[in-house]
Amino acid sequence: MFSYNLPDGGLRARGFINAQGEIKFDPPVFEQRYTTAVRILEDPLWGQKFKKVVDFGCAEMRLLSLLRRVDGIEHILEMHYPFQVDINEDLLRSNKLKAEPLVSDYLKKREGPLRVELFKGSIDASVAELQNVDAVIALEIIEHLYPKTLENVPKNIFGFMQPKIAIFSTPNSDFNVLFTMLPNGFRHDDHKFEWTRAEFKEWALNICQQYPNYKVAIIGVGDAPPDKKEIGYVSQIAIFVRRDLLNHSLIEPLCNQIRVDCNPDPDFQYKEIFAVDFPYNIDERSKEEKLLDEARYQISRCQRVDRYFNRDLGVYQVPLTVLKDYIENIDATMDELLCVLKQDDIEVKGDYIILPEHDEDESSYRHYDDCYDDDYGTWDDARYDNENIATDDEVGACGGSSPGKDDATYESEENWD
C-alpha cells in the first residue's frame, strides 16, 4: 500500500444527525465521490495528464459533466453495466443530451480534442474499446455485481486494460449502524453485498498481490458525526496506481492482449449507444508564426508598462523572460525566438527587447505596471480586477476576464447508496 491525501487539504464536508434523527451529509455524498475522483485525476502528484478515461457508471451520467472539464482528457468512455439484461436503452439515449456539447462549447471552443462515447456492456469484458486506457473510474459499482462478474473485474482492468490509475468506491458496511436497512439487509435493493473496511482492504490487497504492478491507497468520503468517527466513512475508496506513476519500476511487462476467459456471455458484449466529438480550436500556425504573434502581443502590452521605460535612453527595455513560459509551452527555444525577432526587425540587446517610446499619452496606462509579476513573469489580471479598477464589459485591462459565480445547485436526494 501507499499513503495518499487529497491535494489542498481534502474536502470540506461534514456528516450530522438532523432533527428527525437521520444521518445527513453536506455536501451530498454523491457529490463528494465525484469531486474526489476528479481531484485525484487532477492531482499534480502524478506528474502527467490522463488522456483516455473510462467511467464504469450508471445511466445518470452525472460524473461526465465534471470529467469533460478536466484538463488533458481527450477521450471519455461511459460504460454502463447492464445490471439487468433488459436494460432500458431508451434511458441511455435520453441521457445523450448530457454528453452533447453545450452552446457555450461552440462559443468558447476547447484548446484540445474531446470525444465522448456511451456504451452498453459488461465491466468484465475485455474488448478493443478498452485498450490504451489511462484511468478507470468505478464508483459504487462492484456491490451490484454477481460473484462471477466480480471475480473477472480484476482480470479485465488490471490484467487486460492495465491503466495508470483506477478508482473504486463501495459502501462501508461499518457505517450501516446509522441507517435503516432495506429488507435485503443492504442500503439498495440491488446490492449483492456490502463490505466492511477490513473486507474492502483485503480485496484491494489481494488485487495488488495478483497484479504486482499496482499499489493501493484507501481513503473515504462521507464523514460520520463527530461522536461516531470510529465507524469510518460512509463510502470507501481504493486508489490503485501503477508503480511507474509513483516512479517505481514495473515488476511485470505491460501487455494488454485480449483474453478470451475475461469475456462474458455474448449478450453482454459492448454496444455503442452514441458518440460525439466536441468542437475545439485547431491552431494551424507554424511555430515561427506563434512566436512572432506572441512577441508582438507582449510588445504591445509592455510599451505601456512604466517600469520598463529607460528615460535616459528614451526606449523600453523588455526582458526576454516575459516570453519564457510561452516558449516552453510550445516546445520552442530562446534561439528560435531570437531568430524570429531578428527576421521581423525587432531589436534585441543582451537579455532585453528594445522598443521605441510609445507615442500615446502614457499617463493613462500607468496602472499596467502593477499587473505584471516580475518574480513569475506573468500578468496578474485577477489582482487588477480585484482592486476595482474600471474594466470594459468585465474584461480586465490587462487582458483577463473577471471571475464569475457559479450558482448551480443540486436537488435534494438520497445519496448514501
Side-chain angles (χ1 to χ4, degrees), residues 150-304:
L150 180 62
E151 180 183 343
N152 282 332
V153 166
K155 297 178 185 178
N156 186 36
I157 293 179
F158 302 104
F160 167 62
M161 296 172 63
Q162 299 179 315
K164 297 174 182 177
I165 191 168
I167 304 168
F168 286 83
S169 78
T170 193
N172 166 26
S173 66
D174 294 331
F175 206 99
N176 288 352
V177 295
L178 297 183
F179 295 129
T180 300
M181 294 293 100
L182 297 176
N184 66 352
F186 300 132
R187 303 181 192 178
H188 190 281
D189 57 11
D190 187 60
H191 285 184
K192 309 303 186 294
F193 62 87
E194 288 176 4
W195 282 332
T196 65
R197 287 168 291 173
E199 289 170 327
F200 185 54
K201 180 178 179 180
E202 181 182 8
W203 177 77
L205 291 177
N206 283 340
I207 288 176
C208 293
Q209 184 175 6
Q210 188 175 0
Y211 301 97
N213 278 343
Y214 288 88
K215 303 185 75 173
V216 68
I218 296 179
I219 61 173
V221 295
D223 293 71
D227 61 338
K228 299 288 186 180
K229 292 296 184 182
E230 72 279 0
I231 64 176
Y233 296 96
V234 66
S235 187
Q236 47 194 341
I237 298 174
I239 308 167
F240 295 90
V241 178
R242 212 170 64 194
R243 293 175 63 90
D244 53 336
L245 206 61
L246 297 169
N247 296 319
H248 297 161
S249 299
L250 293 176
I251 295 177
E252 297 177 345
L254 297 178
C255 178
N256 60 353
Q257 297 295 318
I258 295 178
R259 294 174 51 176
V260 176
D261 63 329
C262 286
N263 293 326
D265 188 277
D267 290 338
F268 288 88
Q269 291 301 300
Y270 280 16
K271 176 180 180 182
E272 184 174 88
I273 305 300
F274 70 87
V276 61
D277 291 295
F278 278 61
Y280 70 100
N281 289 316
I282 302 177
D283 193 342
E284 297 180 343
R285 295 176 299 166
S286 66
K287 182 186 292 187
E288 291 75 16
E289 290 171 331
K290 292 177 183 178
L291 286 170
L292 182 57
D293 287 345
E294 183 67 15
R296 288 173 173 171
Y297 173 65
Q298 295 295 351
I299 285 171
S300 176
R301 304 178 84 178
C302 291
Q303 279 187 299
R304 298 174 179 178

Side-chain angles (χ1 to χ4, degrees), residues 312-411:
D312 294 334
L313 300 178
V315 297
Y316 285 87
Q317 295 177 308
V318 180
L320 287 168
T321 53
V322 169
L323 288 158
K324 179 177 181 293
D325 288 342
Y326 182 78
I327 290 172
E328 292 177 350
N329 286 339
I330 64 171
D331 296 324
T333 65
M334 188 60 70
D335 287 340
E336 289 175 312
L337 172 63
L338 294 174
C339 181
V340 167
L341 295 176
K342 181 177 181 181
Q343 291 175 356
D344 201 53
D345 296 325
I346 297 175
E347 184 179 2
V348 177
K349 287 187 177 180
D351 296 328
Y352 297 91
I353 299 173
I354 307 300
L355 309 174
E357 183 176 2
H358 206 278
D359 293 334
E360 299 180 25
D361 178 11
E362 297 177 44
S363 62
S364 62
Y365 298 112
R366 291 296 183 252
H367 55 259
Y368 276 77
D369 189 45
D370 295 327
C371 300
Y372 190 78
D373 191 318
D374 277 334
D375 294 332
Y376 293 97
T378 58
W379 295 88
D380 188 357
D381 300 333
R383 177 157 58 89
Y384 177 86
D385 290 336
N386 289 337
E387 291 173 357
N388 297 319
I389 300 174
T391 60
D392 293 327
D393 297 329
E394 297 185 343
V395 176
C398 295
S401 301
S402 299
K405 293 183 179 180
D406 185 1
D407 297 325
T409 58
Y410 288 106
E411 296 180 359

Side-chain angles (χ1 to χ4, degrees), residues 79-130:
M79 302 296 190
H80 295 301
Y81 178 75
F83 300 126
Q84 298 175 352
V85 177
D86 58 347
I87 186 172
N88 189 344
E89 291 186 13
D90 290 336
L91 175 61
L92 296 180
R93 290 192 173 90
S94 69
N95 280 315
K96 175 183 178 182
L97 294 176
K98 297 181 181 178
E100 289 184 334
L102 305 173
V103 173
S104 58
D105 291 313
Y106 289 93
L107 295 176
K108 185 178 181 180
K109 296 181 180 179
R110 298 170 53 87
E111 293 302 316
L114 174 63
R115 181 173 179 81
V116 176
E117 296 180 275
L118 174 61
F119 288 87
K120 169 190 169 183
S122 177
I123 190 174
D124 64 338
S126 298
V127 293
E129 289 84 356
L130 297 179

